[in-house]
Amino acid sequence: MWSVADLADAVEAGVKASNSQLDEEHAVYGLDARDEVELHPILAQAFTCADYGVHREHRYPADQKKRKESEGERCDLVLTPDGLPLASSERKATLFEPADAVPLDEAYWLEVKTVAQYTIEGPNPQYSSQLLSTIRQDVTKLSKDQGILHAGLLIMMFVHDERVAEHDLGIWQDQCLTRGLPIAAPSFRSVKIKD
């Protein structure tokens, strides 16, 4: 039901469109100057344009049992096919829930992480640690929740060139596999950003 390649194509199209808009505006800073949360609306728009339903900052299924809405961990983006709504948790289901709502275990749970080789000030001294440790935490979080069957991690790397990205992602993948994390082969896309 879920094609990671199709999701990656949607992200690529959205990032290209946003990048082109910034180029036309002659913006001082590009996408690489934005943090993860600032990129969420761009990604949400990209998935919406590709006919996915997009549900931002949705609580993980395991945390749906908690009484307060403010409690529990949240996933950056939860996607549904064909723009369909996302079902409520069993605890909250009502008579007014849409009949075509997608159950939580059929949705695609997507965590987003950004890592940049350079910052506005120059080389990023935390680049390696961000890539190798911080990002692995999201893989662990997604895999531990028994209510999630379809999940992925979108790593938005801002690096010097495609060769660096492929090399560093290869090291990241090897480290994850060595630690026994349940990852599949990545679906890689590249968009050039002007300096």
Side-chain angles (χ1 to χ4, degrees):
M1 177 165 105
W2 292 103
S3 165
V4 174
D6 290 345
L7 296 175
D9 288 343
V11 170
E12 179 185 28
V15 169
K16 279 183 178 177
S18 184
N19 190 46
S20 293
Q21 182 180 358
L22 289 171
D23 286 347
E24 287 175 21
E25 294 171 2
H26 300 284
V28 175
Y29 296 112
L31 292 175
D32 55 335
R34 297 184 183 188
D35 67 17
E36 173 195 321
V37 176
E38 292 174 313
L39 292 171
H40 286 184
I42 294 168
L43 297 171
Q45 180 63 34
F47 287 123
T48 300
C49 288
D51 276 340
Y52 293 102
V54 181
H55 312 275
R56 294 175 60 188
E57 295 297 325
H58 197 77
R59 276 199 304 180
Y60 273 73
D63 290 334
Q64 296 286 325
K65 299 172 197 145
K66 297 188 178 181
R67 286 182 63 194
K68 292 183 181 178
E69 286 290 324
S70 60
E71 292 180 330
E73 295 192 88
R74 298 181 180 279
C75 185
D76 295 328
L77 302 171
V78 181
L79 307 176
T80 54
D82 303 319
L84 294 172
L86 185 64
S88 301
S89 67
E90 290 179 26
R91 185 175 65 81
K92 293 193 210 171
T94 67
L95 293 173
F96 303 105
E97 180 140 299
D100 59 352
V102 176
L104 298 179
D105 63 350
E106 292 179 20
Y108 194 89
W109 297 74
L110 185 66
E111 287 290 356
V112 178
K113 285 294 173 241
T114 59
V115 60
Q117 189 177 15
Y118 299 96
T119 66
I120 295 169
E121 292 83 28
N124 181 1
Q126 297 175 338
Y127 171 71
S128 294
S129 65
Q130 287 174 338
L131 182 62
L132 296 177
S133 62
T134 308
I135 293 176
R136 279 197 310 258
Q137 294 170 1
D138 280 337
V139 173
T140 303
K141 190 168 53 170
L142 286 165
S143 65
K144 286 171 76 173
D145 195 309
Q146 298 297 312
I148 296 177
L149 300 180
H150 312 283
L153 175 63
L154 172 60
I155 304 172
M156 297 190 70
M157 297 180 71
F158 297 104
V159 294
H160 179 69
D161 58 31
E162 199 170 306
R163 184 181 52 81
V164 171
E166 288 176 359
H167 174 268
D168 293 353
L169 274 177
I171 292 172
W172 176 84
Q173 185 178 7
D174 290 345
Q175 294 260 336
C176 287
L177 292 172
T178 299
R179 294 176 191 266
L181 294 174
I183 64 167
S187 191
F188 184 85
R189 301 293 183 275
S190 176
V191 176
K192 290 187 187 279
I193 297 176
K194 289 182 181 176
D195 190 358

